[in-house]
């Protein structure tokens, strides 16, 4: 039976305004010319994720056919695909991701490229449970990319961006736990300020915390991303007009980061991952970790140094590795990236 042609849904105007209507962004593999054009302009196409420090990571991990590895943060699958290419159809790669929505999309994307369950096992679980991924298996290499995927950031329904209005959610797994809106209501002024300083080094933490509580006392709500933006904008209204817009933008980025870290227990999860990591590595096994802010990097650096002193690792990165200027131009979201590595004794 001949398949009936399905017309694309039309929208008002010359360009789609809502993320749900952006057919190219929702299916970037189908529009490679558009994707390459956007990347060449130094932008990340909405709906997809550009992997960072790929060549540097492959140099560190030195993957050989027949080895067994773990991609602890599957995401869009860019790093995963390159690691699978290194295996050349021999060995196995395990991958974990806490986000059930994006991990299923990535599983299908990789399966369409020929990477099925015989070479790739994807588990929907938190990477803090890496010792349960394959309990009887030790790994030759492990990668953890701690960044939030661009697909999550670009979709306003996930609540990761203040550029468009959406529910203030910020959960990496939207099927469990409390939303950022619920969490914000649970905290008092001092706790909000402390969270903003600890998780994001926010310089206006006390002013923002005060404005959040003031909004609630007046009977207001902070249930959407733009409502939180408005609160931060109000908190910073004392700044001179010429510097206010940029200051609000940066404080919003830090506030959203702090909330995301809090509701997903990201520091606690990372600490557990780093403590369990040596137990799943073979002797000579290699690990690479990509971090995106100072708090994460401090935890990785401290754990690697401690395990080196204890003789658990035989070598670690002495200095942090950063993306090249060219990569940062092609992918602005790479600018804050830091890469560290370790080798099991």
């Amino acid at each position: 039976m001949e398949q009936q042609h399905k017309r694309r849904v039309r929208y008002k105007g010359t360009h789609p305004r809502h993320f749900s209507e952006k057919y190219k962004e929702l299916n970037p593999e189908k529009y490679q010319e558009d994707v390459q054009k956007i990347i060449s302009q130094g932008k990340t196409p909405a709906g997809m994720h550009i992997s960072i420090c790929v060549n540097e990571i492959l140099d560190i991990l030195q993957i050989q056919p027949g080895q067994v590895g773990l991609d602890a943060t599957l995401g869009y699958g860019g790093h995963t695909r390159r690691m699978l290419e290194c295996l050349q159809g021999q060995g196995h790669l395990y991958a974990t991701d806490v986000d059930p929505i994006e991990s299923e999309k990535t599983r299908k994307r990789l399966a369409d490229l020929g990477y099925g369950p015989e070479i790739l096992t994807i588990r929907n679980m938190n990477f803090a449970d890496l010792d349960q991924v394959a309990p009887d298996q030790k790994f030759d290499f492990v990668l953890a990319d701690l960044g939030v995927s661009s697909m999550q950031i670009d979709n306003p329904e996930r609540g990761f961006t203040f550029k468009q209005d959406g529910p203030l959610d910020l959960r990496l797994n939207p099927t469990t736990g409390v939303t950022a809106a619920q969490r914000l209501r649970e905290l008092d002024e001092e706790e909000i300020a402390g969270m903003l300083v600890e998780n994001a080094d926010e310089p206006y933490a006390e002013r923002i915390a005060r404005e959040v509580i003031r909004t609630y006392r007046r009977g207001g709500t902070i249930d959407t991303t733009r409502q939180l933006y408005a609160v931060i904008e109000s908190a910073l209204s004392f700044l001179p007009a010429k510097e206010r817009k940029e200051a609000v933008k940066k404080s919003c980025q830090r506030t959203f980061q702090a909330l995301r870290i809090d509701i997903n227990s990201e520091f606690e999860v990372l600490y557990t991952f780093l403590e369990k990591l040596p137990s799943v590595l073979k002797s000579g096994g290699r690990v690479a970790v990509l971090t995106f802010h100072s708090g994460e990097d401090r935890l990785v650096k401290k754990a690697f140094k401690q395990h080196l002193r204890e003789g658990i690792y035989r070598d670690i990165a002495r200095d942090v590795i950063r993306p090249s200027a060219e990569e940062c131009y092609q992918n602005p979201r790479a600018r804050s990236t830091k890469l560290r590595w370790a080798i099991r004794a």
Side-chain angles (χ1 to χ4, degrees):
M1 184 178 175
E2 190 176 337
Q3 190 173 0
Q4 189 177 0
H5 175 66
K6 197 174 181 181
R7 289 188 64 189
R8 174 173 55 78
V9 176
R10 297 294 169 182
Y11 46 82
K12 294 178 182 178
T14 57
H15 293 87
R17 296 180 63 186
H18 302 291
F19 185 80
S20 59
E21 297 173 334
K22 295 184 176 183
Y23 59 97
K24 291 183 180 180
E25 287 85 343
L26 293 168
N27 190 9
E29 292 81 11
K30 197 175 175 181
Y31 301 93
Q32 285 301 313
E33 282 188 24
D34 300 89
V35 165
Q36 292 308 316
K37 183 179 178 181
I38 293 168
I39 292 173
S40 69
Q41 295 170 345
K43 301 174 183 176
T44 302
M48 72 175 292
H49 185 82
I50 301 174
S51 300
I52 299 171
C53 289
V54 175
N55 292 330
E56 292 87 344
I57 287 167
L58 295 181
D59 284 345
I60 290 166
L61 298 182
Q62 297 183 13
I63 300 168
Q64 302 297 318
Q67 289 187 333
V68 178
L70 170 65
D71 184 345
T73 46
L74 175 67
Y76 193 79
H79 288 121
T80 321
R81 179 179 177 179
R82 293 295 300 274
M83 291 190 284
L84 285 164
E85 289 172 359
C86 292
L87 289 177
Q88 298 177 23
Q90 303 171 51
H92 202 85
L93 183 63
Y94 291 85
T96 63
D97 199 302
V98 74
D99 186 335
I101 298 170
E102 293 301 332
S103 59
E104 179 55 28
K105 293 178 185 176
T106 300
R107 183 201 61 75
K108 185 179 184 306
R109 191 182 299 116
L110 292 171
D112 290 344
L113 292 170
Y115 300 115
E118 70 287 344
I119 190 77
L120 174 65
T121 299
I122 296 174
R123 301 202 189 285
N124 181 214
M125 58 193 292
N126 197 300
F127 75 117
D129 299 321
L130 74 166
D131 54 335
Q132 298 172 31
V133 175
D136 301 324
Q137 179 70 61
K138 289 191 182 292
F139 302 114
D140 295 287
F141 60 93
V142 174
L143 168 66
D145 174 355
L146 305 182
V148 177
S149 293
S150 298
M151 309 88 64
Q152 294 163 328
I153 295 171
D154 293 329
N155 185 352
E157 290 301 313
R158 301 297 301 273
F160 285 90
T161 178
F162 53 87
K163 294 177 182 177
Q164 299 180 63
D165 202 21
L168 187 60
D169 195 318
L170 287 165
R171 290 172 296 171
L172 294 173
N173 182 350
T175 66
T176 186
V178 300
T179 66
Q182 291 170 306
R183 179 64 174 149
L184 208 52
R185 270 212 171 273
E186 294 172 359
L187 303 175
D188 61 29
E189 186 175 325
E190 188 178 342
E191 288 170 332
I192 293 170
M195 175 187 67
L196 293 176
V197 171
E198 186 177 342
N199 292 355
D201 301 319
E202 171 53 53
Y204 303 115
E206 290 183 2
R207 287 179 178 270
I208 293 170
R210 193 178 308 131
E211 190 62 31
V212 167
I213 298 301
R214 187 181 291 152
T215 300
Y216 289 141
R217 283 177 181 162
R218 289 172 177 168
T221 60
I222 311 175
D223 294 330
T224 72
T225 55
R226 294 301 292 179
Q227 283 178 335
L228 179 55
Y229 178 91
V231 167
I232 295 168
E233 194 174 40
S234 177
L236 271 56
S237 60
F238 72 95
L239 291 171
K242 61 181 180 181
E243 62 183 75
R244 190 183 307 146
K245 185 177 179 181
E246 186 63 20
V248 169
K249 177 185 171 184
K250 288 184 176 178
S251 282
C252 277
Q253 289 171 339
R254 289 188 290 262
T255 300
F256 274 65
Q257 171 188 299
L259 267 171
R260 192 201 76 228
I261 288 170
D262 182 82
I263 66 165
N264 293 292
S265 303
E266 290 183 30
F267 287 152
E268 294 87 346
V269 165
L270 177 57
Y271 178 82
T272 302
F273 169 82
L274 292 167
E275 285 300 299
K276 290 181 178 180
L277 182 57
S279 69
V280 305
L281 284 169
K282 290 180 183 176
S283 177
R286 294 167 174 263
V287 58
V289 181
L290 280 172
T291 63
F292 291 82
H293 57 80
S294 56
E296 290 176 338
D297 181 60
R298 280 194 296 268
L299 278 174
V300 175
K301 181 180 178 181
K302 183 178 178 181
F304 282 4
K305 279 189 170 182
Q306 180 182 333
H307 291 324
L308 180 69
R309 285 195 301 269
E310 295 168 348
I312 295 171
Y313 290 136
R314 76 166 186 236
D315 199 7
I316 62 170
R318 305 296 164 172
D319 297 303
V320 74
I321 299 167
R322 289 184 173 274
S324 65
E326 182 183 1
E327 180 170 9
C328 289
Y329 171 76
Q330 291 181 340
N331 181 11
R333 292 174 181 175
R335 287 179 188 144
S336 60
T337 309
K338 295 178 181 179
L339 172 62
R340 293 187 184 274
W341 56 265
I343 303 173
R344 185 75 164 88

